[in-house]
Amino acid sequence: MIVLLNLHLHKIKLLNIIGTAMKKNLPILYLVCTIILSSNIIAQDEDYYDPGFEIFLIDSYVTSKLPHTFILSFFSSDSCNAKVILNDDYELLVTEQFTDQHNAEFDMTSMRFDTSIVPYYIQVELPDGSEFTSEKYELILPDAYELQAAKERSLFTVCCLGSVVFLLPSPTMVSIDGENYFGLSKEVPIISFFKSGYNYPVGYISLEYEYVFNAPVQSFVRAGYKYMIQFDGIEFISPGLNLFTNFDGYNGISPELSVGLFKIYNVFTFYTKYRYNFQPGSADSDMHEISIGLYSNIFSFNF
């Protein structure tokens, strides 16, 4: 609006100049000013005219009181019908008739999400049949909604799944001095650090026990910190650093890298891991490991 107002003020000034020139019988000045005014209007129109389709979001929130309701309203730069896609799981019709004003309310009682910040986008169809997809927006769920979803989890299911986490070890292939050995390990996240709305912690402290069959050194205990980075297409990438010992003089450091590939029952994440173990100052006891396993933080202290 400010740009357009300034443009009109410039036009008025030029018109006054043109009028003065005509009163003084100055046809040349009149012609020059007319050309400048015309070129200025065309240039300004080309700079500020945007023929593309746009969406102007007005309201987008979930009510805190039951039943939780998603309130959505927006304007569009052209008439269209619209629908909203929530978390790539729910497709909701906003407007069926062609209009540029869109208002809708959706009952979210039956909808379930594994994050408190739900991404969504708007898809529209224009009268000529062309389609447009908006940028991604975020919908913040109230705390009461998350608590309600948590209460619906079966205690029996949680106990069973928790037992699987603790009882199922990770198979590991270990290489020591060119010799390969098979081992089993179990890592337990002890303390996890979260940010609001994240599916995974930003990092966690873990304890781990590993046993390598028929190896020169067989039993290890590790403590370490793992940093988690979420990625589209996979679940996460997690670099980490551990301190380890066998309580018999074999102590060292083990950097590692884990890749979370996919979720199982929305509780576990299947991952694969590479780890390098070494003793500072000794090159004869290095170990390489490749393992697979299930990650879950359901028994972790969360902060």
Side-chain angles (χ1 to χ4, degrees):
M1 288 296 295
I2 294 175
V3 174
L4 294 175
L5 182 59
N6 290 335
L7 177 58
H8 286 301
L9 290 175
H10 287 307
K11 292 179 183 178
I12 293 171
K13 289 180 181 179
L14 286 174
L15 288 172
N16 289 336
I17 294 173
I18 293 171
T20 303
M22 293 179 65
K23 291 178 181 179
K24 293 183 179 182
N25 297 318
L26 298 177
I28 296 177
L29 180 60
Y30 168 74
L31 178 61
V32 171
C33 289
T34 302
I35 294 172
I36 293 174
L37 177 61
S38 300
S39 61
N40 181 61
I41 293 173
I42 293 172
Q44 292 289 345
D45 287 344
E46 288 178 350
D47 288 341
Y48 295 101
Y49 174 68
D50 182 9
F53 183 86
E54 291 185 86
I55 287 177
F56 307 95
L57 200 61
I58 301 173
D59 281 325
S60 172
Y61 65 93
V62 176
T63 59
S64 58
K65 295 182 179 181
L66 293 174
H68 297 300
T69 305
F70 175 22
I71 308 296
L72 177 66
S73 63
F74 60 92
F75 287 105
S76 55
S77 59
D78 197 358
S79 294
C80 63
N81 56 42
K83 60 184 177 182
V84 60
I85 312 297
L86 276 175
N87 202 41
D88 289 327
D89 293 325
Y90 301 98
E91 181 177 305
L92 310 173
L93 182 64
V94 179
T95 45
E96 193 171 4
Q97 304 297 326
F98 290 104
T99 180
D100 59 359
Q101 300 182 21
H102 308 268
N103 301 279
E105 297 183 2
F106 306 103
D107 184 356
M108 302 188 68
T109 304
S110 62
M111 301 182 192
R112 293 292 174 264
F113 305 98
D114 60 359
T115 174
S116 61
I117 300 181
V118 179
Y120 75 92
Y121 56 91
I122 299 169
Q123 286 186 341
V124 306
E125 181 183 4
L126 301 175
D128 62 1
S130 58
E131 296 181 346
F132 173 84
T133 300
S134 73
E135 62 180 293
K136 279 197 173 182
Y137 305 105
E138 291 183 341
L139 185 66
I140 301 177
L141 301 179
D143 292 339
Y145 186 96
E146 295 180 86
L147 291 174
Q148 182 186 18
K151 289 178 182 178
E152 293 178 357
R153 294 180 180 176
S154 165
L155 179 61
F156 176 77
T157 302
V158 172
C159 290
C160 289
L161 294 179
S163 299
V164 171
V165 171
F166 280 101
L167 293 177
L168 187 64
S170 298
T172 305
M173 184 61 68
V174 181
S175 176
I176 305 175
D177 295 331
E179 298 291 331
N180 295 326
Y181 304 91
F182 177 76
L184 295 174
S185 66
K186 187 63 215 172
E187 178 187 83
V188 180
I190 302 299
I191 301 176
S192 300
F193 305 96
F194 279 84
K195 286 186 178 179
S196 176
Y198 278 59
N199 293 336
Y200 295 96
V202 293
Y204 65 92
I205 297 172
S206 68
L207 290 177
E208 179 181 353
Y209 175 76
E210 180 179 15
Y211 185 84
V212 183
F213 296 92
N214 302 320
V217 183
Q218 297 179 330
S219 296
F220 304 93
V221 174
R222 290 185 179 86
Y225 179 79
K226 319 298 170 67
Y227 181 71
M228 304 189 80
I229 307 168
Q230 297 186 51
F231 275 89
D232 291 336
I234 59 175
E235 294 297 318
F236 61 78
I237 291 179
S238 177
L241 186 66
N242 309 277
L243 300 177
F244 69 86
T245 181
N246 71 339
F247 297 104
D248 191 25
Y250 188 69
N251 309 311
I253 302 171
S254 55
E256 65 178 50
L257 182 66
S258 301
V259 179
L261 300 176
F262 55 85
K263 283 190 173 183
I264 301 175
Y265 294 115
N266 214 28
V267 177
F268 307 125
T269 301
F270 181 84
Y271 69 85
T272 182
K273 177 191 299 183
Y274 168 76
R275 178 160 52 204
Y276 175 61
N277 306 269
F278 67 97
Q279 287 184 291
S282 175
D284 297 330
S285 56
D286 294 359
M287 294 170 42
H288 300 269
E289 298 180 37
I290 297 177
S291 62
I292 58 174
L294 296 176
Y295 163 82
S296 177
N297 65 344
I298 58 176
F299 289 100
S300 169
F301 293 98
N302 299 330
F303 295 93

